[in-house]
Amino acid sequence: MNTTRILRHLNAQRCLRLLRELGSVTRADMARHLGLNRSTTGNAIAELLDAGLVQELDDNQIERGKGRPGVRVALAAEGAYALGVDVGTREISGVLMDLNLGIVARTSVPPGPQVSDAAGMAARVAALAQQLLRDRQPDPARVLGLGVSIPGLVDRAGVVVNAPFLQWRHFDLKVVLAGALPADWRIEVHNDADCFALAELAVSAQGELAHLQVLHLAEGIGSALVFGGKVMRGAHGHAGEIGHTLVLGGAVPRAFEQMAGAAAFAGLVAADAPLNLAVDRLLLQRDEPPVAAALADWADALALGVVNAVHVLDPGRIVLGGALSRLYPLVADRVLAAVQRHLVPGVVPPPIELTSFGPDVAAIGAAAVIREAVFALPQLHAQPQHRSPA
């Protein structure tokens, strides 16, 4: 790639990033935002229009002080598609997402009888991705690839180091999937909470992301930390995992996720039921004494984990997601009171919110990882591994 081509590509990517942030702008406003002349901006937009990544909107706006219409441009939803799959012990769920983060297809399947069979589960993940494409039938040239969310420790290379609920150890899921799916697809494998955090990053204003903690409440508890608009991964990619912190619950320490994960409701719902269906049942039976007692214990355990996160990580905001997060409104007052009671005096408790993405947040975040490839800046010293849609 010569210097002229690099500069053209760089300007086009800057335009794309601005559209991701602002939604839609006129060419003149874009030039002002980016500090480019109108000719350079016009050339960049023309290139993006030809690639099908942006579109001109029908509703013309009057440019301030000019008195003539300025056509606004925005990302084209059908310009690119990304797949995301969340692997769980009770179900495997997937989404197909367009360039505007719209969910155009979603589905879920049972994991099968042997969740510990990593190779078999990888085949089911690949099959689910292909099923989503058959349901929607997007232009194959515009499918960027597949992101996968795993409830466990995943290293930077996409190797599942340890997924306790799945009983996977040192399984190179990224390589296995790359061998089973189209060669030009981008394949990414991440921890479920990291995917959750990346979904929040995709839609939140930069100022809201300075200090953000996400808790993915599912079979276990995934946790990730965002500072300055970036997921903090630590030396080996495992930072922020408070679900694995040990808490004294009697004589034997227990992990936080054992106290506030799905195990908190053992005996009240079928152990193999999809977690969303199990939560539906708990919501219907919330006033029955056994369920009410379990919810109270769960709230106390959740509060304990939040207090530890606040003391150690000092997040400015905590966002809850995953199937169990649907129970939080039932116990929010109890959780907040316990958090306030246990915090060191003078420490301000952060607001605790529910994600806007619903229980599919991990799959959506996994797809968002793939979508980000569209906005990546050019690599100057290496050949790109995957093509951009054209």
Side-chain angles (χ1 to χ4, degrees), residues 295-362:
L295 284 169
D297 290 343
W298 179 71
D300 293 343
L302 182 60
L304 194 60
V306 168
V307 168
N308 288 334
V310 172
H311 282 150
V312 175
L313 303 171
D314 191 25
R317 188 163 58 104
I318 294 176
V319 182
L320 307 179
L324 292 185
S325 69
R326 296 168 55 206
L327 299 173
Y328 178 73
L330 302 180
V331 298
D333 290 343
R334 186 182 182 102
V335 171
L336 294 174
V339 168
Q340 186 69 69
R341 187 168 62 250
H342 293 307
L343 282 176
V344 170
V347 175
V348 178
I352 302 175
E353 307 166 0
L354 294 179
T355 180
S356 61
F357 289 108
D360 288 335
V361 63

Side-chain angles (χ1 to χ4, degrees), residues 90-93 107-111 124 128 131:
R90 302 178 185 224
E91 66 180 339
I92 303 173
S93 58
T107 192
S108 63
V109 296
R124 292 184 71 79
L128 182 64
Q131 177 185 331

Side-chain angles (χ1 to χ4, degrees), residues 7-41:
L7 290 175
R8 287 176 58 194
H9 184 57
L10 180 60
N11 288 329
Q13 296 306 95
R14 292 180 67 199
C15 292
L16 277 177
R17 287 171 170 235
L18 187 66
L19 292 173
R20 176 182 59 180
E21 179 183 350
L22 300 182
S24 67
V25 293
T26 64
R27 289 169 174 80
D29 285 340
M30 182 173 289
R32 283 192 289 270
H33 275 287
L34 298 178
L36 300 173
N37 62 49
R38 292 198 183 192
S39 174
T40 300
T41 302

Side-chain angles (χ1 to χ4, degrees), residues 37-83:
N37 62 49
R38 292 198 183 192
S39 174
T40 300
T41 302
N43 289 336
I45 292 299
E47 182 175 327
L48 294 172
L49 285 168
D50 287 343
L53 293 174
V54 303
Q55 61 181 338
E56 294 182 333
L57 301 182
D58 293 334
D59 55 332
N60 292 346
Q61 304 291 334
I62 303 299
E63 291 185 79
R64 185 175 300 174
K66 297 295 182 182
R68 58 186 178 84
V71 178
R72 303 180 74 87
V73 294
L75 296 177
E78 297 181 354
Y81 294 89
L83 290 151

Side-chain angles (χ1 to χ4, degrees), residues 256-267:
F256 170 46
E257 68 179 2
Q258 292 176 318
M259 301 170 65
F265 304 99

